[in-house]
Amino acid sequence: MTLKTTLKLTAAAASLAILAGCASNSALEEVRQTAESAQADAAEARSIATQAQNTANQAQRDAQAALQMSEQNREEMNRMFERSMQK
């Protein structure tokens, strides 16, 4: 090969390398955007899960209070029944 042909091939190879580098940067940018989107989705899911946990905890407290009230009412009804039977 002549020097002129070698220089042309080197220039062509350098151009391809630069284009490949641009494609790689583009691909990296796409991956970065995908990762950021996934992080945002994870943060939103965490927030929703926290809200759901808080709601479940409140429901548990309400259920326990209702059970306690039910037990108190049953005890009161039993006492009333016993008093009525003694008369």
Side-chain angles (χ1 to χ4, degrees):
M1 282 200 283
T2 64
L3 181 61
K4 194 173 186 181
T5 306
T6 304
L7 287 176
K8 285 182 184 178
L9 288 175
T10 303
S15 296
L16 287 175
I18 290 171
L19 289 175
C22 291
S24 294
N25 287 341
S26 174
L28 287 175
E29 179 64 21
E30 184 178 335
V31 168
R32 185 187 64 76
Q33 288 176 352
T34 301
E36 287 176 353
S37 176
Q39 285 178 331
D41 290 347
E44 183 181 4
R46 186 180 307 119
S47 174
I48 291 169
T50 299
Q51 290 174 352
Q53 183 64 49
N54 291 340
T55 301
N57 289 342
Q58 182 62 45
Q60 180 67 32
R61 286 190 296 270
D62 291 347
Q64 288 172 342
L67 179 61
Q68 184 180 14
M69 188 179 297
S70 172
E71 289 172 354
Q72 289 172 353
N73 287 339
R74 187 183 71 213
E75 290 172 8
E76 180 64 28
M77 293 293 286
N78 284 339
R79 283 193 298 271
M80 287 173 58
F81 178 73
E82 288 173 5
R83 275 186 250 144
S84 70
M85 293 302 288
Q86 289 176 357
K87 292 183 178 181

